[in-house]
Amino acid sequence: MGGTVATTDASPVDRRSLEDALRASENRFRAAFVDAGIGMALVDRDDLIIEANPALAEMLGHTVPELIRRHIHELMDVEERPRRVYRELVRGERDRVRLEKRLRHRQGHAVWTNITVSLIRDSSGEPLYTLAMVEDVSEARRLGDRLHYQAMHDPLTQLPNRSLFFERLAGAFAEADQRIGLCYLDLDGFQAVNDTLGHHVGDELLVAVARRLEQRFAARGHLVARMGGDEFAVLVPRSAGSEELTALAAEVVEILGAPYDLSGQRVAATASVGVVERPVPGTTPTELVKDADSTLCWAKTDGRSRWALYDPERIAHQMTRQVLATTMRPALERGEFLLEYQPLVDLGDGTLRGVEALVRWRHPDFGRLAPDRFIQIAEETGAIVPLGRWVLETACVQARSWLDRFPDAQLFVSVNLAARQFWDSDMVADVAEILGSTRLPARLLQLELTESAVMGPAGRPVEALHALAAMGVRIAIDDFGTGYSNLAYLSRLPVHVLKLAGSFLEGFREPRPHAGPRPDPSTTVGAGTSPGAHVNGSAPRGAADEKIVAALVGLSHVLGLTVTAEGVESAAQAERLRATGCDTAQGWHFGRAVSAEEIDRMLRA
């Protein structure tokens, strides 16, 4: 007899126990759901809310029944990526998603939330519902927005600051097919306002400037930013061309030039503007701002209270100047400079009396540079001091060599000095040391200075001139006639030579007027006049210049000075200068600046 195994369902007692446990669990879940401090909702597979707790209802300004059966898109905007991720969750491809979403409050304002959406599956593992837990982070979001605003805006003027400007500029450059324009500006003499009226008035001025710029240009879609200090920028992301930008710059100059009423005072201020406008391709944000800043400097240099438009040729010249300024001192150490010598000739007998030492720069990139390309830069940077000493020493060494080999010539060398050499170095000590080391007699050294270097108030240069003259060094005033031209003042200085500016020789290029009766003006009406003709009773230019030069020469001789004419280009000019009593001359007629070897050949001849 075979036995059997009997299977029976759970007893009624066990089923009741299980049901009681499930109800208790459900009650606990519902209590937690209803009493939770964060918003919660159950959403079915059709995106309809089937359960919502009071925290979520309060968060959105609704009651719980009002939320039931609402579609979630009525409460939020779902962008493409979050929508895609959410559909993956609903299909069971994900179990949890975290989102930062902006929900719509019943009263219309935004509620920023962090939402965690979890998938609830049935007993077979199929997706059943989604549970959304919603945390209100609006206050934290507002705090973050405030901090971001403060980080991106100027606290004084409330304008976008430098950081936000460059962020917007980068965004404008993302549109590759556009043109872009920038007006970069600052206030003229702003520091004087701070110094004389106080920083509080300076701050009021900056705020007033910001308001004028913002009211005029922000409404047009332009970005107005404070870049720092008294510098502002107006960015035009989609420029219509340089004409639009220059018109805008003219507006800036106009509106900022009107007086300001600040702290009960009427304050005048002006602005200078640098303008750059170009296509986005081929440039970068950094280059755009750099070029605008350089162009602003041009507006300042050109007179202030004006605008300047970016000029590639001018910027190239500026860059060349910068290269020369930074490489000059190393170039001196590398031996890139050389001296050439221009003859100074006695107009009486044609004898070579001296030479003027002229420095040249053999630049590895720019080729052979004349002094007018770099001397001013040397003076501005202070490089004129070591360069000037090198020129002086090199010229004295060469002059000593000529004295040793051609003692009868007694050839002197003339060296140009800049005023800065007197202020930044001990010129007297330098000259004494160089004359001592080269054994060159002081009488064979002539130092040339411009009028402006010696005609100012008494001080170090004047004291140094007296000391140098006491050594026996000759002192010459270069380009006489272009500055103060005060012979009376010169009489009190230890000056030995006047070098007349080349402008005095302009009339000497005209032929001498023919002797004879003065022509009847009535016979020359409508006819061309010859260079030497009288016009409306005036003297010919050449005759007038000749009289002026003769007068200067005569006065100079009375004061014990010799006179050198510069820029002589023809034998006729040389003859007419000799007739005025001029002592010596230099210029292309007598020879251009040449190497020391060429001067050797002249001395041998």
Side-chain angles (χ1 to χ4, degrees):
M1 164 174 178
T4 62
V5 177
T7 60
T8 63
D9 294 332
S11 68
V13 174
D14 292 335
R15 284 199 299 273
R16 283 196 298 271
S17 297
L18 179 60
E19 290 170 357
D20 290 342
L22 288 174
R23 277 194 296 271
S25 176
E26 182 179 348
N27 289 336
R28 286 194 298 272
F29 174 79
R30 182 168 295 280
F33 184 86
V34 171
D35 297 334
I38 64 172
M40 300 181 72
L42 277 175
V43 182
D44 66 15
R45 299 191 64 180
D46 294 323
D47 295 341
L48 297 176
I49 298 174
I50 59 176
E51 291 284 354
N53 72 348
L56 179 62
E58 182 180 359
M59 190 186 302
L60 300 179
H62 291 277
T63 64
V64 169
E66 289 174 340
L67 293 179
I68 303 304
R69 306 309 295 173
R70 275 184 177 251
H71 198 283
I72 59 173
H73 290 179
E74 296 179 48
L75 303 175
M76 70 174 71
D77 294 322
V78 182
E79 296 85 2
E80 181 58 34
R81 182 181 178 280
R83 186 195 301 271
R84 176 174 52 80
V85 172
Y86 180 73
R87 299 318 304 173
E88 291 174 359
L89 178 78
V90 171
R91 291 195 301 268
E93 298 170 11
R94 292 172 179 263
D95 289 322
R96 183 175 287 105
V97 174
R98 289 185 61 86
L99 304 169
E100 183 182 47
K101 292 299 300 177
R102 182 177 61 184
L103 305 185
R104 287 190 289 272
H105 192 275
R106 184 174 193 169
Q107 295 178 353
H109 61 266
V111 179
W112 283 97
T113 62
N114 282 336
I115 303 177
T116 302
V117 184
S118 301
L119 181 64
I120 298 176
R121 302 175 185 268
D122 62 15
S123 59
S124 64
E126 289 298 315
L128 187 61
Y129 305 114
T130 56
L131 173 64
M133 292 180 286
V134 184
E135 181 184 5
D136 187 348
V137 295
S138 298
E139 187 58 37
R141 178 71 181 232
R142 283 192 288 271
L143 175 61
D145 289 344
R146 286 197 298 272
L147 292 175
H148 182 264
Y149 181 90
Q150 292 170 3
M152 292 295 184
H153 287 77
D154 171 51
L156 177 64
T157 65
Q158 300 306 308
L159 287 179
N161 62 12
R162 192 177 186 89
S163 297
L164 183 52
F165 170 83
F166 276 102
E167 183 179 291
R168 297 283 180 82
L169 183 61
F173 267 78
E175 301 183 32
D177 60 340
Q178 298 291 334
R179 297 184 70 87
I180 193 165
L182 176 62
C183 287
Y184 203 85
L185 63 121
D186 74 1
L187 300 180
D188 302 321
F190 176 72
Q191 188 59 46
V193 175
N194 277 338
D195 294 342
T196 58
L197 302 179
H199 286 268
H200 68 288
V201 177
D203 287 348
E204 286 186 44
L205 175 59
L206 292 174
V207 172
V209 167
R211 295 293 77 77
R212 291 186 186 184
L213 293 173
E214 189 174 36
Q215 290 167 8
R216 179 66 69 92
F217 303 115
R220 302 180 190 175
H222 306 331
L223 175 70
V224 178
R226 183 186 178 197
M227 304 299 285
D230 63 326
E231 294 183 349
F232 296 83
V234 181
L235 176 66
V236 182
R238 294 179 179 85
S239 168
S242 59
E243 290 185 2
E244 178 190 8
L245 267 293
T246 54
L248 190 152
E251 282 188 77
V252 170
V253 173
E254 178 187 2
I255 66 173
L256 298 188
Y260 301 81
D261 292 317
L262 307 173
S263 295
Q265 305 179 72
R266 198 147 177 87
V267 177
T270 60
S272 298
V273 187
V275 182
V276 178
E277 196 282 336
R278 60 181 57 151
V280 166
T283 190
T284 66
T286 302
E287 289 173 350
L288 185 78
V289 174
K290 177 177 67 68
D291 291 343
D293 189 37
S294 298
T295 310
L296 169 60
C297 293
W298 302 346
K300 293 282 192 186
T301 303
D302 293 343
R304 302 187 173 192
S305 188
R306 65 186 63 222
W307 56 267
L309 180 63
Y310 175 79
D311 179 359
E313 291 185 5
R314 187 168 179 176
I315 202 73
H317 174 70
Q318 191 176 41
M319 291 175 64
T320 300
R321 282 179 58 88
Q322 183 63 29
V323 170
L324 295 181
T326 56
T327 59
M328 192 173 299
R329 292 175 189 264
L332 184 59
E333 296 173 2
R334 292 192 296 266
E336 293 179 8
F337 291 92
L338 61 90
L339 290 186
E340 292 183 335
Y341 303 89
Q342 186 169 38
L344 287 148
V345 175
D346 190 311
L347 285 172
D349 58 13
T351 305
L352 181 63
R353 294 296 183 190
V355 292
E356 179 179 355
L358 298 171
V359 64
R360 307 286 190 256
W361 186 352
R362 294 170 296 194
H363 197 281
D365 297 321
F366 304 125
R368 188 184 183 88
L369 303 179
D372 60 348
R373 291 287 303 277
F374 60 86
I375 288 297
Q376 183 181 358
I377 301 173
E379 293 182 11
E380 292 170 359
T381 61
I384 192 66
V385 174
L387 177 61
R389 181 181 172 88
W390 177 86
V391 170
L392 181 63
E393 185 170 14
T394 303
C396 287
V397 168
Q398 184 58 58
R400 179 69 222 189
S401 173
W402 284 322
L403 179 62
D404 291 340
R405 291 180 290 120
F406 307 100
D408 294 338
Q410 293 293 300
L411 195 70
F412 72 86
V413 64
S414 190
V415 176
N416 291 278
L417 297 182
R420 187 160 183 175
Q421 290 176 259
F422 287 91
W423 291 107
D424 291 4
S425 64
D426 190 341
M427 199 70 238
V428 176
D430 288 348
V431 171
E433 179 185 345
I434 290 171
L435 290 177
S437 63
T438 60
R439 298 178 298 107
L440 180 70
R443 58 185 168 78
L444 297 184
L445 174 62
Q446 176 173 290
L447 299 178
E448 296 187 22
L449 297 93
T450 60
E451 293 178 64
S452 59
V454 296
M455 291 296 196
R460 190 169 183 176
V462 175
E463 294 171 0
L465 289 183
H466 282 283
L468 292 168
M471 289 183 196
V473 175
R474 290 157 53 91
I475 307 298
I477 301 300
D478 194 18
D479 282 336
F480 185 80
T482 59
Y484 296 88
S485 305
N486 190 330
L487 283 167
Y489 186 83
L490 283 178
S491 68
R492 298 193 293 273
L493 293 174
V495 175
H496 306 91
V497 181
L498 286 188
K499 299 187 74 175
L500 297 181
S503 57
F504 281 115
L505 272 63
E506 287 298 320
F508 283 62
R509 293 187 175 91
E510 301 170 1
R512 287 182 183 272
H514 294 290
R518 183 173 177 177
D520 182 350
S522 64
T523 65
T524 61
V525 173
T529 55
S530 67
H534 299 277
V535 179
N536 294 330
S538 63
R541 170 72 187 274
D545 282 353
E546 198 163 329
K547 290 178 181 178
I548 293 172
V549 171
L552 286 174
V553 170
L555 286 171
S556 299
H557 287 169
V558 168
L559 295 173
L561 308 176
T562 60
V563 180
T564 298
E566 298 181 282
V568 179
E569 298 179 359
S570 67
Q573 280 183 316
E575 172 57 26
R576 292 173 67 180
L577 283 166
R578 187 195 63 76
T580 66
C582 189
D583 303 292
T584 57
Q586 65 185 101
W588 292 355
H589 172 62
F590 301 106
R592 297 172 183 257
V594 294
S595 66
E597 291 74 19
E598 285 294 324
I599 300 297
D600 284 355
R601 283 190 279 273
M602 292 181 189
L603 290 171
R604 291 192 190 97

